[in-house]
Amino acid sequence: MPINDQPVTLNGAMIAVRDLRKAIGDEQILRGVDLDVAVGETLVIIGRSGGGKSVLLKHLIGLMQPDAGEIWVSGKNIIGMSERQLTNIRQKVGILFQSGALFDSMTVEENIAFPLREAGMHDVRAMRARVNEVLEVVELQGENAKMPESLSGGMRKRVGLARAIIRQPSCVLYDEPTSGLDPVVSDSINHLIRRLQERFQMTSVVVTHDMKSAMQVGDRIAYLHEGRIYFDGTPAELQQCDDPIIQDFLLGRSEAAPHQDRAG
Ligand SMILES: Nc1ncnc2c1ncn2[C@@H]1O[C@H](COP(=O)(O)OP(=O)(O)O)[C@@H](O)[C@H]1O
Ligand SMILES: [Mg+2]
């Protein structure tokens, strides 16, 4: 039986990643990533800057193709899917890019409605109704006509999030949703991620290097280290973990400080 038809034992996982490998140039970025995201849970992926978190996230919706491995999204292996097939996956899985990636020449409403237009929707009134619904979800009611340049960093993230959920996905991927935001605004974004989980049973994958956010939003935390998932557990388990590599990361010690220090 071809691997694409196998009902692999995914145990109801929203996303399952198996032995994912990716090199960019000479650098082996992903070296065999295994990861499961259960339906309705919030999984946080932490790891050093430049460690491959964004690269991993892009693979999950087919924006990058791996050298080897499998990615199952609600039961379908997305590797080798056509762009048309991936369109269906991207309806199920929304993404909030690190920059927000808003179109500067479009209003808030036009930005948020963009995925609907791309999906072939033309009914202006129906689109506006959907936009207003998601604006309420992200607590930006009435901001339809603003231009992105007039928004604060936190508001831009919210607009990006509204756009990510406009097609009612069952899963949202967040790339550094709180980076560049002050602690109060970060808190409000973290609450929003939690609220989506409670209100819509949303499955979330949150990439961050901010440990406070990771602890706040994560049901589970996975640590990407040297191209593999080195640790996978609850926030409490992570905090109690006395593994030296984990400790170094939690305490913000540099990788350059060799472990021989302690052995010697
Ligand atoms: N499109 C690309 N072209 C070349 N190198 C890339 C590209 N995307 C990522 N990389 C490299 O892959 C590595 C991992 O990047 P990234 O996933 O962005 O790290 P993180 O998100 O964990 O900070 C980095 O060394 C980065 O320079
Ligand atoms: Mg990144």
Side-chain angles (χ1 to χ4, degrees), residues 41-109:
E41 85 170 333
T42 299
L43 173 78
V44 172
I45 300 172
I46 56 171
R48 287 173 199 287
S49 183
K53 301 183 296 302
S54 296
V55 165
L56 175 57
L57 221 50
K58 284 177 188 157
H59 278 83
L60 300 184
I61 49 166
L63 291 175
M64 287 181 93
Q65 292 294 327
D67 300 328
E70 298 171 18
I71 300 170
W72 297 81
V73 178
S74 54
K76 295 198 175 73
N77 191 353
I78 69 164
I79 309 299
M81 274 190 176
S82 66
E83 270 304 309
R84 176 186 285 252
Q85 290 170 310
L86 284 171
T87 305
N88 289 329
I89 296 298
R90 290 177 194 144
Q91 191 276 314
K92 290 198 182 90
V93 183
I95 185 163
L96 175 61
F97 290 103
Q98 181 162 0
S99 61
L102 302 180
F103 302 110
D104 288 329
S105 61
M106 293 185 191
T107 64
V108 164
E109 175 163 329

